[in-house]
Amino acid sequence: MSALPFRFALLLPLVLAAGGCREMQSGYSPSTSAALPQTGQPAIGFNPGGPDLDRYTNSAGRYPRATAATWWQPAYSVDGFSRLDEIFAARPVPRAATPSIWRRAAAEPALTYLVPPMRGGGRQTIDGYLARNPTTGLLVAVGDTIHVERYQYARTDTQRLVSFSMAKTVCALLVGLAVADGAIASIEDPAEKYVPALRGSEYGRTPIRHLLTMSSGVQFREDYDGRDDTVKLSRAVLFGPGGAGAVRQFDTREAAPGARWYYASAETQVLGLVLTGALKRPIADYLSERIWQPIGAEADASWVIDRTGQETTYANFSAVLRDYARLGMLLANGGKVGDRQVVPADWLREMTRAHFTGTQTGRWFGYGFQTWIFPDNDGSFALLGVRGQTIFVDPLRRLVMVHTAVRPDARDPGGAEATALWRGLRQHFPHRS
């Protein structure tokens, strides 16, 4: 089934199935957006449909409501990925009292991009990209100006869309702030110094530095085949006891810390336990105070928690698109909001340089501190989440692209087309002095 045509509105509220306010299981009932802060003549694209509707709708043509048992399935993902903080217990990340202002370009950029051969080749436009890809939200910003803001599958600009592993980069930002605040003495410290429940375990003995770079050397298989260690981790976190017990089950050492790279979500969950132990307060509260409020977030974000109250730092952070863009712009600006240094510049430099190259990761991207590094070696980097969640950042251009999606498979090749669109944007927007 083909995508339905877009309709544009001047911030006109869209009331469609699966829209509206939500209440987290924690009992917190948020107002999703403050005062719609932007200037100029805003034009936001809302599409009640999208490509491959047969995959995402039921026999009545509606997006079926997801549950804890079904939210991951493609048929339920449109609903599940936009209200995960209602399906599972979550802790709010309160917004700023006064949101920062977005400006809007007079029109979308008229650009084309080269479609990768694996996706059929040729040239496409932004309209063509959205007609071909199960994108729920796409936002492009340069500096303080939004150039593109589109939504598909009846998603809206007030819905919190899930990050999946983009949350890992947020976790690394908080580790850096905890170091700057003196709560973490050194990233050379072993995790067990801050998490007594991990004492004597291989993860407990691993220095924080090597958790940040996914090089603990602890055996963990993350292949997304439905039987890997990611499934075991998620079950232990979302349905099991949570806490340190969720990661202690992975306790076989294959290599010395720092000797080799291997992507493992458990390492970010250990970092979350370190943060909680070091800060002695909820991570969501610290995120709100140190990042979410300083960037002028317009809406409350949320972070799914386990039964112990521990945030699932390897995934499951949710926010509205414009606030994801504010986060991306903070990173594009070297950790600054105006003249205020929110994230230490030296920490951000360490996060966004390749500690492991693309050759070492085997992923084309290099890897920094919980951050993917483009092979161009020009300072650009990415926050990546499974099934199409992305924030691309180019500090030279002060360019940010936020992309959320419901790709049906963790290894969906459509990610290559998102990168191609990003390259088209980089060609369109010049370097900024």
Side-chain angles (χ1 to χ4, degrees), residues 242-273:
V247 294
R248 279 202 73 124
Q249 63 180 311
F250 311 109
D251 201 32
T252 300
R253 182 163 294 284
E254 292 185 320
R260 62 111 167 110
W261 184 91
Y262 187 81
Y263 190 79
S265 287
E267 313 212 348
T268 320
Q269 191 63 13
V270 175
L271 287 172
L273 293 166

Side-chain angles (χ1 to χ4, degrees), residues 262 311 339 397:
Y262 187 81
E311 287 83 355
D339 295 329
R397 293 170 173 80

Side-chain angles (χ1 to χ4, degrees), residues 267-348:
E267 313 212 348
T268 320
Q269 191 63 13
V270 175
L271 287 172
L273 293 166
V274 168
L275 276 171
T276 298
L279 297 169
K280 298 180 173 28
R281 61 185 294 200
I283 291 171
D285 292 353
Y286 190 64
L287 170 60
S288 176
E289 176 187 314
R290 298 304 307 276
I291 295 179
W292 216 240
Q293 294 186 45
I295 65 174
E298 69 183 73
D300 297 337
S302 66
W303 215 325
V304 169
I305 56 175
D306 68 17
R307 291 182 181 178
T308 73
Q310 172 69 43
E311 287 83 355
T312 59
T313 44
Y314 67 95
N316 305 333
F317 176 79
S318 296
V320 301
L321 238 63
R322 288 191 292 269
D323 285 340
Y324 278 134
R326 287 180 171 95
L327 175 64
M329 204 56 68
L330 169 73
L331 305 181
N333 289 330
K336 297 178 74 173
V337 174
D339 295 329
R340 178 182 177 184
Q341 193 73 47
V342 174
V343 177
D346 57 350
W347 181 260
L348 190 55

Side-chain angles (χ1 to χ4, degrees), residues 213-215 258-263 356 360-363 367 372:
T213 57
M214 293 286 185
S215 60
R260 62 111 167 110
W261 184 91
Y262 187 81
Y263 190 79
F356 289 88
Q360 290 170 305
T361 67
R363 301 284 186 95
Y367 206 73
W372 298 93

Side-chain angles (χ1 to χ4, degrees), residues 186-195 203-208 211 274:
S186 170
I187 62 172
E188 310 306 334
D189 289 339
E192 64 189 7
K193 177 176 177 178
Y194 304 93
V195 191
Y203 271 138
R205 286 189 278 264
T206 301
I208 294 168
L211 295 168
V274 168

Side-chain angles (χ1 to χ4, degrees), residues 89-110:
R91 181 169 287 126
V93 180
R95 65 181 182 264
T98 303
S100 62
I101 302 298
W102 281 115
R103 300 184 183 278
R104 289 191 181 271
E108 286 188 352

